[in-house]
Amino acid sequence: MTNLDEIIKSRRDTRHFTNDAVPDAVIEKALEAGHWAPSVGLTEATKYYLIKSAEIKKAVKELFLEYDKKAAACTDDELQKVQYQNLKLEAIEEAPLGLVICYDRSVLNHFTIGTVGSNEAIKFSAVCAAQNIWLSLTEQGYSMGWVSILNYYQFKKILGLPEHIEPLGYFCVGKPATNYENQPMLQQLNWKQKSEAPFVSEIRQLHSIATKELEEDVVRTNKVDFSLKALEDKINKKTKPIGSLGVLEKIAKQIGTVFQTLEPKISNPNIVVFAADHGIAQHGVSAYPQDVTRQMLTNFLEGGAAINVFCKQNKIALSVVDAGVNYDFPSNTTLISAKIDKGTHSFLSGPAMSKAQVELCFSKGSEIVAAIAKQGSNCIGFGEMGIGNTATASVLMSVLCNFSIEDCVGRGTGVDDEKLQFKIDILKKAIENYHGSKDLESYLTYFGGFEILQMAGGMLEAYRQNMIFLVDGFICSVAFLIAFKKNPAIMNNAIFSHQSAEKPHKKLLDYLGVSAVLQLDLRLGEGTGCALVFPIIESAVAFLNEMASFESAGVSEK
């Protein structure tokens, strides 16, 4: 077969193979074709691993079968489930050769042409290589089948791939046993018909990212049936000395004022954990490697983290957001995908993100909270996860509050004295290297984190939705600081759940002029402080609604 059009149209995602071995010359020629595929910035980040071991093939097949069951459960109805189960989706053990096509993320540790706009570019190069390999095999009378229904984390483990090597999937290679009647297999089996022509449309109009206009700093007008004096009188006339319930009275007054009612109720409470990776982490500012972000998100999804335990204990819904983790998570999870990019760039010598990404962060955070409010929630807590994000938060606090970086740096994940000084030195150098404007947007673009800015956008939306929102520890308080600088009126709706063990948190709370409800020496993040303070929120509402007054109980006020 020599005609290019014929080769392209004959390329099949093959699932049926003969027992014929793949000659070394065939695979060498195919991989050579992959090597000469387009590669962004000539990164040569694509790597190939050959699999001939029956033991490894069996282990990969078991991984497939585990996720194949999950895929079957995601079908729309019983008929579709039966149709799905009748499909042959792999030939892992039957194919004479296995090929794992990967891309090497470590090339991103150095400047690489073509990757500044998107780290995904190196993956795109690997996909181009896969297509070239497919076409070369087809031209030689062989073929390949792509198996992607796998737990990629376990897949990497059984292959012994290092953290920075990411597989596109497992590819079965061999001589095809059928040509599927010269059409894609799924089309032949009537699963889906391939369209006759590709979608093509010319874009003629310039578009920009739409952002919600920020509300003015205005005091909300009271509704006709509500007055602040009536709320204060109700609190003061409970069967207790005035002020004797301390912070509970303050919280009850705040919630009643926000909801504009003398009988407030908390509905469908939800804690949202935003997660992302940070380029600054590659400089060793954390006690943990960056991959812990991905590992912890998996832990959240499997229900094993502290925030899962506390949310379950207090009957709080938990939402987990991928704001920019350096990993591709399976689509069949409960994870909310709001990925801006696979982590920010290091701000040691350049901006962490683009201005467009800053706007997108605020938009995404807003959309997530608006969707939760639409489900009937009027109380939301904000949490975070991201190796390196205390470093990002520290720098943002320093530049936005005009504090020295020494006053803004804590131990984060628990670094020792030597590492703490190293962290301070790195962050001080990053600030010294900044020569941009001193306005909020410029600082956020240069030093921001995807999850921090999405939380800020979410807090602004919580205010717009008239929700009570709970602020967790240090990093979430920095997100609040950003939102507060955009709209100071959000202070009316915020409850600061706890004062973190992170040294700069107290200084930040003092700067904002607020006090936290709890002081438990927490420094875990995840929104754990929000979950722990929630029973106190409920107690404030309960006493306001259910506690007897002096008059109803027949008790003398004095």
Side-chain angles (χ1 to χ4, degrees), residues 40 103 108 114-127 325-328 339-342:
V40 172
Y103 55 99
L108 298 171
T115 63
V116 174
S118 172
N119 290 346
E120 298 272 9
I122 57 171
K123 182 198 294 187
F124 305 154
S125 298
V127 172
V325 180
N326 192 7
Y327 190 75
D328 292 317
K339 192 189 290 289
I340 305 298
D341 203 343
K342 287 191 170 182

Side-chain angles (χ1 to χ4, degrees), residues 247-259 264-266 269-271 378-383 459 462-463 466-474 476-481 484 488-500 505 509 512-519 527-541:
V247 174
L248 288 182
E249 296 188 27
K250 178 183 175 183
I251 293 172
K253 180 180 175 181
Q254 180 182 8
I255 293 175
T257 304
V258 169
F259 294 160
K265 289 181 173 56
I266 299 296
N270 197 309
I271 290 177
N378 64 3
C379 180
I380 187 168
F382 290 88
M459 290 173 186
Y463 173 77
N466 205 37
M467 305 170 82
I468 285 289
F469 66 88
L470 312 178
V471 183
D472 192 32
F474 172 55
C476 290
S477 295
V478 171
F480 177 87
L481 170 69
F484 176 77
I490 69 167
M491 184 68 78
N492 299 329
N493 295 54
I495 295 176
F496 292 81
S497 60
H498 74 106
Q499 182 182 311
S500 169
H505 193 207
L509 294 178
L512 293 167
V514 299
S515 297
V517 179
L518 301 173
Q519 186 168 351
T528 47
C530 300
L532 292 171
V533 84
F534 184 70
I536 296 176
I537 308 299
E538 288 187 307
S539 295
V541 172

